[in-house]
Amino acid sequence: MRFQIKCSDLVSSVAIVERAISTNDQTPALTGLHLAARDNVLTLTANNLQIAVQTKAPCEVLEPGEHLVSGRLFCELVRKLPVEMPVVVEWRDGQVLVSVDTMEFALNTIVDDEFPEYPSCQEKVISLTDYELERLIRNSVFAASNDEHKPIFQGVLMEIAEGAISFVATDSNRLSYVRAQTGQAHVEHGEYIVPKINLIELVRCLPMTETQVEVFFGDNQLAFHFEDTIFTTRLIDGRFPRYRSVLYTDQETAFVIKRQKLIQALERAALFGRADEAPVLIQVNEGILEVATTSRLGKSQEQASVEQQGPGQQAAYAPKFLLDMLKTMGGEQVEFRFEGTRQALIKAVDSDDHLYVVMPMRI
């Protein structure tokens, strides 16, 4: 193996693929980065068995070949090379040599017998832009759980129903439902539960240039194809909770307020409540909204005029749960529907594409 490549192209490629390099030394092959050079294309692959990433970069191949090297070492080395100089990579005497100008570095290779084949996903299920995919992930993933004892709740449901695409996440105390505004479903029905940590890594790989992303399913995995990259993630086994009846429960009272105004009021209240995780009390009566909290640090209380429908109500919520939704959603005005101890529904006034359900706290 011997090839020459622009350092900037190599840096961009390792930044994508290194997310799938394992940090567990028990299986050395999974800590490796697979380099394959042929037909003037360098293919870089990493696979930690939870996610696998493969990307390609143009290069001048002088001698085709493939080898497995220490992933972390190769990636860190590449980032410290002078960007303006071409990089020559070659295999010689059992080592992979990386040369730039007068510099030369020798990396020991890893036996690749245990390096897994790249997963094959053949069934196309959806296609959409990277912007739309990022929106769906960003507006749902925050509601997934961090509890390892409840793996289903650690995932985000990618659901296809009657040709419509939606992402849903819940930790059993709150639920975020996001419906795709653009994109195309290639199957009538489908449910795929993706680990939230893998979706967060996927977002970091997206080019965010209105690039088309095609998503394929196979062998309990999803593969996201965009530009010269394939990002593959394992799915979580199990059945996602039935959630639609929760979304469309009627609440007795609703009020409308500017989103930023509510965010600012909640942030001020959260300053007082953060010491002992005190809830924030939401009370509305005769068109006046009151946001208040009391903790060992003191007391916060403020009022604002709102558009109100229904009788007066009050309920307490975790301020973080409300802020997580309000900071990710779109729209200038927000509608807040609630009724005592029942779950509240939060949404943008002019759209049903993002619905958020949150349970009140006992006070």
Side-chain angles (χ1 to χ4, degrees):
M1 178 182 75
R2 188 167 189 267
F3 63 89
Q4 180 173 295
I5 186 171
K6 290 182 179 179
C7 188
S8 57
D9 289 341
L10 193 55
V11 169
S12 299
S13 297
V14 299
I16 294 173
V17 78
E18 69 177 336
R19 305 188 184 283
I21 296 172
S22 176
T23 57
N24 188 343
D25 293 337
Q26 291 183 351
T27 308
L30 300 183
T31 68
L33 177 63
H34 188 265
L35 307 174
R38 57 178 56 88
D39 300 326
N40 287 334
V41 173
L42 172 65
T43 303
L44 303 92
T45 307
N47 189 336
N48 62 18
L49 300 183
Q50 293 303 313
I51 60 173
V53 182
Q54 185 175 90
T55 193
K56 297 181 178 181
C59 69
E60 181 184 357
V61 176
L62 306 173
E63 183 178 342
E66 54 186 88
H67 292 281
L68 189 67
V69 296
S70 168
R72 295 296 173 194
L73 176 58
F74 186 87
C75 294
E76 291 175 8
L77 173 62
V78 165
R79 279 196 292 269
K80 294 184 181 299
L81 297 177
V83 178
E84 68 279 1
M85 304 288 289
V87 181
V88 176
V89 180
E90 62 182 316
W91 183 80
R92 187 197 308 163
D93 299 330
Q95 293 180 311
V96 170
L97 304 184
V98 179
S99 305
V100 179
D101 195 23
T102 59
M103 297 173 281
E104 183 176 276
F105 310 91
L107 285 70
N108 295 330
T109 57
I110 300 173
V111 177
D112 61 2
D113 292 349
E114 295 183 355
F115 192 75
E117 289 188 17
Y118 201 85
S120 177
C121 300
Q122 300 294 331
E123 182 185 14
K124 184 188 288 190
V125 291
I126 65 171
S127 54
L128 69 177
T129 67
D130 52 3
Y131 277 106
E132 182 67 349
L133 178 58
E134 187 273 340
R135 185 186 73 85
L136 290 168
I137 295 172
R138 171 171 44 85
N139 287 343
S140 60
V141 71
F142 67 85
S145 174
N146 294 318
D147 188 351
E148 294 182 356
H149 297 97
K150 298 178 180 179
I152 288 293
F153 294 110
Q154 286 187 297
V156 176
L157 172 67
M158 187 183 88
E159 182 181 52
I160 304 169
E162 299 178 354
I165 305 165
S166 57
F167 279 42
V168 189
T170 180
D171 62 4
S172 76
N173 292 310
R174 54 179 172 169
L175 181 146
S176 184
Y177 165 88
V178 198
R179 183 170 55 203
Q181 298 171 343
T182 61
Q184 180 180 0
H186 301 282
V187 295
E188 276 296 310
H189 298 278
E191 293 187 2
Y192 317 92
I193 306 175
V194 188
K196 77 168 189 176
I197 57 173
N198 296 357
L199 289 176
I200 292 170
E201 292 295 346
L202 169 61
V203 166
R204 292 169 178 161
C205 294
L206 294 176
M208 303 307 292
T209 55
E210 286 287 356
T211 297
Q212 193 74 4
V213 181
E214 295 186 329
V215 185
F216 294 80
F217 170 73
D219 193 23
N220 199 38
Q221 298 180 89
L222 283 182
F224 297 79
H225 294 237
F226 49 92
E227 293 187 337
D228 294 316
T229 299
I230 305 173
F231 183 105
T232 303
T233 171
R234 285 193 176 275
L235 301 178
I236 297 174
D237 292 321
R239 180 176 290 275
F240 199 80
R242 302 296 92 183
Y243 67 89
R244 290 190 178 271
S245 61
V246 177
L247 283 181
Y248 301 108
T249 301
D250 290 332
Q251 284 85 8
E252 194 175 38
T253 299
F255 65 86
V256 174
I257 187 173
K258 287 186 176 181
R259 183 169 65 93
Q260 285 300 325
K261 191 172 186 178
L262 182 56
I263 288 174
Q264 292 164 6
L266 290 169
E267 287 179 332
R268 288 187 286 266
L271 291 175
F272 287 82
R274 64 188 176 187
D276 44 12
E277 298 183 350
V280 60
L281 182 66
I282 302 292
Q283 181 174 347
V284 64
N285 192 38
E286 297 182 353
I288 300 297
L289 169 68
E290 182 175 292
V291 179
T293 190
T294 302
S295 73
R296 61 182 175 85
L297 293 179
K299 182 178 180 181
S300 166
Q301 183 177 5
E302 56 185 282
Q303 295 181 337
S305 297
V306 296
E307 299 175 28
Q308 178 183 341
Q309 293 181 343
Q313 294 281 354
Q314 71 172 24
Y317 303 93
K320 179 182 184 305
F321 283 6
L322 301 181
L323 288 168
D324 283 347
M325 163 63 173
L326 292 168
K327 289 181 177 181
T328 61
M329 68 181 289
E332 183 178 343
Q333 291 191 309
V334 63
E335 181 178 356
F336 194 112
R337 304 177 187 173
F338 71 125
E339 183 179 340
T341 58
R342 301 176 66 189
Q343 68 268 22
L345 176 70
I346 305 173
K347 61 182 285 294
V349 169
D350 56 355
S351 173
D352 288 338
D353 289 337
H354 188 189
L355 305 176
Y356 183 60
V357 175
V358 58
M359 294 298 297
M361 297 177 65
R362 291 183 180 181
I363 54 173

